[in-house]
Amino acid sequence: MSFNSGLDIERSYHTATAEPEPRHPILTAKIDADLVVIGGGCTGLSAALNAAERGLKVVLVEGGRVGWGASGRNGGQMIVGLCKTACELVKLLGRERARALFDLALEAWGLVLDLIKRHAMNCDLRKTVHPIGTASAGDMTRFEHEIECLATIMNCPLMRILSAAEVRVAVDAPYHGGLFDGGHMLPLNYTLALAQAAAAAGVMFHERSVVRRLDSRNGIRAETAFGAVRARRAVLAGHALLKRIHLPIESRIMPIGSYIVDNEPLANAAAVIPSNAAVSDTRFIRCRPTAGCCLAESATCPARRPTSGTSFAHTSRGLSSSSSISYACGGLASVTTSRLPHVGRDGDMYFAHGCSGLGVILSTLVGKLLVEAIAD
Ligand SMILES: Cc1cc2nc3c(=O)[nH]c(=O)nc-3n(C[C@H](O)[C@H](O)[C@H](O)COP(=O)(O)OP(=O)(O)OC[C@H]3O[C@@H](n4cnc5c(N)ncnc54)[C@H](O)[C@@H]3O)c2cc1C
């Protein structure tokens, strides 16, 4: 079992539908670079791609396999926003800063769509609406406030209310709800395509090379069991899997277990989600149609050391159909105490984590922002 292969990713729908991927060598030498990136998920890959495109010599060191962290095993739901609602952001930060942050969330959506197009990524992108079902009447009132805040303060008519009848047109479930613009895709294929773009831009990759020690006293030195990278700067993109190499940053990370199940193909799949959209509800249950007409669903539950059995059972209970499960996997996502992404620097070390359940599009943006900070 490799560093990031736990919780059954080998038996997931994601790996079953993955594009062929190159294997990269273990780091066995001492090499010099402008930038060392630790972590081969979307945050690290996006940082590596952007840095290489700016002409930097970049080495990316991944403890397990590229893409096998949260980035390659998530629900693939492309939800525009930050991990707080627009109303919460305004309350916390005031109108101007809230709007500036929200603009970044919109930029992230455009950035990912642009990358998929520019690099002709084969990740089954589906740009659809994103219905969100409400579990209680109180949720509906919150949705109404949110819509008003989005329209008046964020300048963004991104969401609208749906009646129960309108929800039925999108998904066969007894919801009231709201509707966002959004989409979904195969996350492992997107992540692997991002790695391919980074490799084409000149990034050197090393897999199965866990960084065990990070020294930043005189430039950066990232040490693995058999080699080391000396660089002017580092990007720490280890997300929920970082292991005791920079405690001040890691102490802000709370790993959350999240689980995905795919059911056997349904005879009436098209009738279950006629809109072909990814759907979520206010109980943290998410669902999306997959190419083989299966439905994938994920649910999160706080767990420092998740055990797959009980969590898969919890997720399966959320699945409305009675068909059996063909794939199941889980993973860790990093959540911060503020629920907002934690992006910053400590000297020559730049870091980003905490995109929570919105990292499918946000993590690509934060990786790019880190490189803009490094360059500027
Ligand atoms: C099951 C699940 C479902 C999810 N569903 C969704 C969804 O539907 N929509 C959405 O927007 N978000 C979702 N998320 C969240 C999203 O996947 C994450 O926010 C995002 O992928 C984080 O990307 P990352 O690059 O920061 O981290 P990761 O993809 O986890 O990458 C971090 C990498 O760093 C490596 N690493 C760590 N420490 C070291 C070290 N010391 N040395 C070398 N390498 C190291 C790890 O092996 C790993 O590969 C989900 C997450 C999970 C787990």
Side-chain angles (χ1 to χ4, degrees):
M1 195 163 98
S2 82
F3 183 70
N4 62 359
S5 70
L7 288 174
D8 287 347
I9 185 164
E10 294 91 342
R11 290 198 291 274
S12 65
Y13 179 78
H14 307 62
T15 44
T17 53
E19 292 285 306
E21 56 187 305
R23 302 301 299 269
H24 302 285
I26 296 176
L27 180 69
T28 52
K30 293 190 172 50
I31 40 184
D32 289 336
D34 297 316
L35 179 69
V36 56
V37 176
I38 301 164
C42 289
T43 304
L45 293 167
S46 169
L49 170 65
N50 279 279
E53 283 178 343
R54 286 172 182 260
L56 300 188
K57 180 178 176 191
V58 185
V59 177
L60 186 146
V61 189
E62 164 56 55
R65 287 178 65 172
V66 166
W68 277 28
S71 298
R73 60 173 84 197
N74 62 52
Q77 300 214 358
M78 303 165 80
I79 303 168
V80 182
L82 292 138
C83 311
K84 282 192 177 299
T85 63
C87 294
E88 287 168 336
L89 284 179
V90 171
K91 203 166 156 195
L92 191 71
L93 304 167
R95 288 174 170 234
E96 291 308 311
R97 288 183 65 208
R99 189 162 44 213
L101 260 189
F102 200 81
D103 283 348
L104 283 178
L106 290 172
E107 185 184 329
W109 169 239
L111 173 71
V112 171
L113 294 184
D114 178 59
L115 279 169
I116 292 174
K117 192 169 166 200
R118 191 149 45 98
H119 296 283
M121 295 178 174
N122 185 12
C123 60
D124 195 23
L125 168 70
R126 304 194 197 185
K127 273 167 71 184
T128 58
V129 290
H130 183 93
I132 302 185
T134 51
S136 71
D139 290 336
M140 208 63 190
T141 313
R142 273 198 297 280
F143 275 18
E144 278 155 10
H145 289 148
E146 183 68 3
I147 286 174
E148 195 188 332
C149 179
L150 282 168
T152 56
I153 300 179
M154 302 303 184
N155 236 344
C156 172
L158 191 68
M159 186 184 181
R160 65 185 176 87
I161 292 284
L162 294 184
S163 68
E166 287 170 313
V167 174
R168 282 269 179 195
V169 175
V171 52
D172 185 18
Y175 284 136
H176 280 75
L179 189 75
F180 277 99
D181 287 337
H184 54 101
M185 63 168 161
L186 289 175
L188 181 55
N189 280 348
Y190 169 71
T191 310
L192 295 176
L194 204 53
Q196 208 178 3
V203 175
M204 287 166 62
F205 281 86
H206 290 282
E207 289 182 311
R208 292 159 293 143
S209 306
V210 180
V211 173
R212 298 177 190 282
R213 196 163 168 270
L214 199 54
D215 189 342
S216 60
R217 278 169 300 181
N218 186 16
I220 301 283
R221 188 178 155 83
E223 286 176 19
T224 66
F226 305 110
V229 183
R230 213 173 49 186
R232 285 175 45 223
R233 297 200 172 92
V235 161
L236 246 72
H239 189 58
L241 294 173
L242 265 184
K243 290 234 165 59
R244 298 190 168 277
I245 52 174
H246 195 295
L247 287 179
I249 292 173
E250 288 168 47
S251 65
R252 306 278 294 269
I253 298 175
M254 181 169 70
I256 293 282
S258 190
Y259 305 89
I260 307 249
V261 294
D262 291 65
N263 59 2
E264 299 282 357
L266 299 170
N268 63 340
V272 178
I273 309 187
S275 57
N276 210 4
V279 182
S280 50
D281 74 13
T282 49
R283 298 168 304 161
F284 295 109
I285 297 289
R286 292 173 171 186
C287 187
R288 77 176 165 89
T290 49
C293 292
C294 309
L295 298 176
E297 185 141 339
S298 81
T300 50
C301 55
R304 185 135 194 124
R305 286 199 185 78
T307 52
S308 52
T310 50
S311 305
F312 289 144
H314 168 76
T315 307
S316 308
R317 273 200 299 277
L319 209 60
S320 52
S321 88
S322 56
S323 74
S324 51
I325 302 300
S326 50
Y327 298 102
C329 86
L332 291 178
S334 114
V335 173
T336 62
T337 45
S338 70
R339 296 292 184 275
L340 288 170
H342 184 207
V343 183
R345 70 184 282 196
D346 177 9
D348 288 327
M349 237 173 316
Y350 292 71
F351 60 87
H353 58 84
C355 292
S356 301
L358 296 186
V360 165
I361 51 181
L362 270 186
S363 56
T364 302
L365 178 82
V366 295
K368 177 171 179 260
L369 291 180
L370 291 181
V371 173
E372 285 172 5
I374 289 171
D376 297 336

